[in-house]
Structures are given as structure tokens and as C-alpha cells.
């Protein structure tokens, strides 16, 4: 699964799923540009060494995205892989969600993917090939309570994925990756909101047929595979990596 000679941008690439992605793509031989608002991305780029670069960028803002993408393209001579991974979670129903909160979640989770694709695809076209991978969620298919803006943004990412796949085929592919619960700083922050984080974590474990939550590294391995020459016939799809979350009929478990 070599990515030698490929140039990748990973948004939200400082930590969590994005951090694992930055490491895995780099290990497979790609040059990796980490776009993040967290300076931890700088430490990670330093750790990775040659072929890694951190650029501070709020991916929900077009001026910052345009500038960062130009720098990324100049740094390594064009782009082959874009991983739109940056995302945030907020907890509210439709009637509780303020306009500001709605816009924030939409801008970080959805508009960022549009903006990054908009400013990355011309370079891919110049090189004659490329892939845009959008990190959606299993919540594009099933929904927990109190995450109305999040679920909406993750579902819309599947539409964006399809549009990119259709508009830029055959040279450019686009795939959405839909994880179940993954053990990242985002999950740990969510658990910390509960009076009993351990019990909620166990509920997360029990929801998955795999009887565990996912690791950032296994999501990163899927992304590296999709970005590689091993997956040229996969485009426009939403690929679930969710340990069987949501498959079991409620109440049917027998011990
Ligand atoms: N952890 C899960 O259980 C899970 C499940 C399904 C989908 N996802 C999705 O996977 C992606 C990564 O999630 P994670 O759990 O690793 O999250 P995380 O919070 O651990 O990491 C997200 C990264 O994105 C960065 N980021 C946030 N806003 C940004 C912005 N405006 N501009 C640039 N960078 C920004 C953060 O600084 C951070 O480094 C998200 O899109 C999330 O919705 C996560």
C-alpha cells in the first residue's frame, strides 16, 4: 500500500483520527501537510520529520484555506490526496440550537470540506489524478439524540462526496469514511460532559457488535488504503468502519 511520491493534506491532522492519518500516510511514504488550529500539529510535523509540514489554518474560512492550500502545493509540488477530517461535536436538538451554533458546526464540518476541495482539486487536475476523502460518521445513517447540527453536517458530506466523484471522474475519486465511536480527544471530551463517564463509555462499547470502540489508527489504515493505488475502483461511496454499530435489533441480545 505504498503512497511514496504522493502529497497529502490532512485537515484536523494534529490529533485524534486526523493525527493517526497524518502518521499513517507519512509512514506509507506520502508527504503530509497538517492543517489545524491546534499547534500540536507543529509538534507532530516535527516528530514526523522530513516530508511533514504544519500550517495553522481554520479550515472553515476561505481566505485561510486558499493561503494554506497554496503553501501546501508549493511545498511539495502539487497535491494528490485531500483528507477532510476536521470536525466538531455539539449537543442540541433543533429547538435548542442557536443560529450561531448551527453555523459553527456546519462551517467546520461541512463548509470546510467544500472549501478545501475547491482549492485542492485544481492541483489534482493539473497532475491528472487525485482523491478527496471526507470523514463523515455512522451518524450519516443512524442518529443519537441531541446532535441535530452534527448529524445534518455528516449526512450532507455524503452528498458532497457524490458530487465530487461525479463531477471530476474518472481522474479524481472521492470517498466518504463513516466511523462508529472512535477513542479520540473528541470522544473523551464528550464523555467528560457526563456525570458518569465510565458508564457512558461502557454503553458505547456495548453498542458495537465488536464489543469495543474503534481506534484512530484503524480508521487511518482504511483512509490510506482508499488513497492508494489498491482502491482505484472505489468512488462516490460511503464506507462504514463502525464495528457493527446499529445492526442489532434492540432487545434481541441473549447472554
Ligand atoms: N471520535 C469519534 O467517535 C468519531 C466518530 C465518527 C466520526 N468522527 C469524525 O472524525 C473526525 C475527527 O474526529 P476526532 O474524534 O479525531 O476529533 P478530535 O476533536 O479528537 O480532533 C479533531 C481535530 O480537528 C481540529 N479542528 C477542529 N476545528 C478545526 C478548524 N476549524 N480548522 C482546523 N482544524 C480544526 C482540532 O484542532 C483537532 O486537532 C471529525 O470529523 C469527527 O466528526 C469522529
Amino acid at each position: 500500500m505504498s503512497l511514496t511520491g504522493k502529497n497529502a493534506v490532512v485537515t484536523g491532522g494534529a490529533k485524534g483520527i486526523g493525527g493517526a492519518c497524518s502518521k499513517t500516510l507519512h509512514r506509507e511514504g506520502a508527504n503530509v501537510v497538517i492543517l489545524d488550529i491546534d499547534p500540536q500539529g507543529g509538534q507532530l510535523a516535527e516528530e514526523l520529520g522530513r516530508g511533514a509540514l504544519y500550517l495553522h489554518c481554520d479550515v472553515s474560512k476561505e481566505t485561510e484555506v486558499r493561503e494554506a492550500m497554496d503553501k501546501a502545493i508549493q511545498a511539495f509540488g502539487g497535491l494528490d490526496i485531500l483528507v477532510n477530517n476536521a470536525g466538531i461535536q455539539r449537543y442540541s436538538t433543533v429547538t435548542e440550537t442557536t443560529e450561531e451554533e448551527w453555523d459553527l458546526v456546519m462551517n467546520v464540518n461541512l463548509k470546510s470540506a467544500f472549501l478545501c476541495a475547491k482549492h485542492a482539486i485544481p492541483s489534482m487536475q493539473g497532475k491528472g489524478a487525485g482523491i478527496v476523502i471526507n470523514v463523515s460518521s455512522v451518524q450519516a445513517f443512524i442518529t443519537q439524540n441531541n446532535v441535530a447540527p452534527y448529524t445534518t453536517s455528516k449526512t450532507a458530506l455524503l452528498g458532497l462526496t457524490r458530487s465530487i466523484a461525479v463531477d471530476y471522474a474518472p481522474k479524481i475519486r472521492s470517498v466518504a469514511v463513516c466511523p462508529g465511536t472512535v477513542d479520540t480527544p473528541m470522544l473523551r471530551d464528550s464523555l467528560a460532559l457526563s456525570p458518569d463517564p465510565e458508564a457512558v463509555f461502557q454503553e458505547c462499547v456495548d453498542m458495537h457488535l465488536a464489543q469495543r470502540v474503534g481506534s484512530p489508527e484503524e480508521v487511518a489504515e482504511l483512509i490510506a488504503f482508499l488513497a492508494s493505488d489498491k482502491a482505484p475502483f472505489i468512488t462516490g461511496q460511503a464506507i462504514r468502519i463502525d464495528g457493527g454499530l446499529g445492526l442489532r435489533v434492540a432487545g434481541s441480545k441473549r447472554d
Side-chain angles (χ1 to χ4, degrees), residues 2-161:
S2 171
L3 298 174
T4 303
K6 306 279 188 198
N7 301 329
V9 164
V10 182
T11 75
K15 58 181 184 281
I17 293 171
C21 221
S22 302
K23 289 180 200 162
T24 303
L25 297 182
H26 188 265
R27 185 200 70 208
E28 291 300 321
N31 297 311
V32 176
V33 181
I34 299 167
L35 302 192
D36 208 300
I37 49 174
D38 186 337
Q40 207 177 311
Q43 289 156 32
L44 178 54
E46 243 173 63
E47 262 170 50
L48 295 176
R50 205 179 140 86
L53 174 69
Y54 165 66
L55 298 172
H56 185 280
C57 176
D58 179 343
V59 289
S60 68
K61 302 212 164 84
E62 183 158 26
T63 45
E64 295 193 27
V65 168
R66 188 191 293 116
E67 194 182 326
M69 220 50 94
D70 284 352
K71 281 188 185 158
I73 289 163
Q74 273 169 17
F76 295 116
L79 282 185
D80 307 281
I81 301 163
L82 168 63
V83 183
N84 283 317
N85 161 82
I88 55 170
Q89 175 64 289
R90 292 291 183 275
Y91 292 92
S92 56
T93 62
V94 163
T95 48
E96 291 160 358
T97 305
T98 62
E99 186 178 359
E100 289 71 28
E101 206 168 41
W102 178 270
D103 287 345
L104 177 68
V105 174
M106 288 299 155
N107 289 345
V108 176
N109 291 7
L110 179 61
K111 190 171 92 172
S112 66
F114 147 67
L115 291 175
C116 289
K118 176 179 170 183
H119 293 285
I121 285 173
S123 172
M124 294 177 184
Q125 287 175 307
K127 294 189 83 173
I131 179 159
V132 177
I133 296 173
N134 295 317
V135 180
S136 172
S137 166
V138 75
Q139 299 222 37
F141 302 98
I142 54 172
T143 305
Q144 73 181 101
N145 287 99
N146 298 319
V147 291
Y150 183 84
T151 292
T152 306
S153 68
K154 293 297 176 184
T155 308
L157 274 176
L158 305 194
L160 180 68
T161 304

Side-chain angles (χ1 to χ4, degrees), residues 157-218:
L157 274 176
L158 305 194
L160 180 68
T161 304
R162 254 194 325 272
S163 282
I164 294 170
V166 166
D167 287 339
Y168 301 100
K171 295 197 167 151
I172 293 173
R173 295 183 294 123
S174 185
V175 185
V177 169
C178 303
T181 308
V182 182
D183 200 349
T184 67
M186 180 189 275
L187 175 66
R188 294 290 159 179
D189 291 347
S190 297
L191 293 176
L193 298 173
S194 152
D196 190 351
E198 266 183 45
V200 179
F201 183 77
Q202 191 55 46
E203 277 172 26
C204 290
V205 166
D206 290 342
M207 285 188 304
H208 297 76
L209 295 185
Q211 283 296 292
R212 63 175 177 85
V213 300
S215 73
E217 290 72 26
E218 60 196 329

